[in-house]
Amino acid sequence: MKSVLITSVKVVLPGNEFDQQVVDVFIEKGKISKIANSIEVADKNIEIFDGSGNILSIGFFDLNANFGEPGLETKEDIASGSAAAAAGGYTAVAVMPNTQPAIQSRAEVALIVNIAKGNLVDILPIGAVSKNREGHEMAELYDMKQTGAIAFSDGNKSMQHAGLMSRALLYVRGFGGLIIAHPEDASMAGGNKMNEGVMSTYLGMKGIPNLAESLMVSRDLYLAEYAESPIHFTTISTAEAVDLIKKAKAKGIQVTCDVAAHQLVFTDDEIVDFDSNYKVSPPLRTKSDAKALIKGLKDGVIDAVVSQHTPHEIEFKNVEFHIAKNGIIGLQTVLPLLIKAGLNEQQIVEKLAVNSRQVVGLTLPEIKEGEVANLVLFSMNENWIFDQESNRSKSRNSPLFGKELKGKVKLVINNGQIIKNA
């Protein structure tokens, strides 16, 4: 990549020596060459970006994204998913094993690692806990860890078998692994399609109660405590789950959790028109749940925010609500949603770049002279339109498609590469 000078930019990175300072940052041969109040360059080949009014931080890292490769490349492949991630400010993405075949052995892990080699966006596979994500027999966890899996999860399938979850927690403890749980009691959820509440009653639809989530969170907290093993809950959606995890942390249980960005802004009220773009799992909850989730983020109970990027072909979403697939594309819209939810720049960097890496034990990039440049430049105030022209995903299943959003990623640098958003 060409040498790059970013001028008059505000650095936001908790614990960094330049945190909250406005500086110039010079990047040469993929590394941060110099940081100073003012940097003069004479070489006309150096690309200069005016960072005035913008934020510079380490690149975002997503703990929960779904790419279709292998097997479901018509939804999203690693190339298109990486492009969407970079446009959203991400320099690294953890991909869930919701593929065909599932990421369940060293072969699938190695495939993803090798395909993604050399990308601007680092693609980090999460291996399945059980074979075929069926919840019956444990997959090859240690082999996957050795090949590059950063954690283990059955993705959008919740582990219903308590015994298998307990054994998995005990097993990964021996080699420093992490189980990521999608908490939902299937017998309580009953295969229903939206949140149980006033809106489901009004629409005449059977709902999924908050209890379906809190029961499973409670069970897995007991199992993690028994196994003395860490556990991470992904995409929690209820006030009850926030409260349970808060108490567990106070008790000393090794628990972390994240929330999908759309759960902070959208509620089950959106479903009044049966727009299938609002159909997600867990379902959109109530305003009081969204309020509790935002409070949990600001209080530090919820460690990270994820995109839960879930692309689908049009034939899976442009159908009646009750038969539509769950999920929305989210990699490019997380930043605007967090701004809309009321998070400030410091909280956004903590939840998208710092804590997400700490959950899975990744080394934090640094904004420091001599370090490899792993950076995102973004605006908290600039508007843009999420449409066919700006969308980088193969899919377009998002309730935000065609809308003007506030909060724009301007520049992403990683692995000696740079991507600019017009």
Side-chain angles (χ1 to χ4, degrees), residues 67 69 78-79 82 109-125 415 417:
F67 294 174
E69 202 163 2
I78 288 174
S82 297
V109 172
L111 173 71
I112 291 170
V113 169
N114 288 330
I115 291 174
K117 195 171 292 182
N119 276 5
L120 180 147
V121 179
D122 299 316
I123 307 298
L124 308 174
N415 293 333
Q417 300 171 60

Side-chain angles (χ1 to χ4, degrees), residues 332 384-392 400-403:
Q332 290 182 242
W384 61 288
I385 297 175
F386 184 41
D387 57 12
Q388 194 65 42
E389 185 178 348
S390 59
N391 181 34
R392 298 291 176 264
L400 295 170
F401 208 80
K403 296 184 178 179

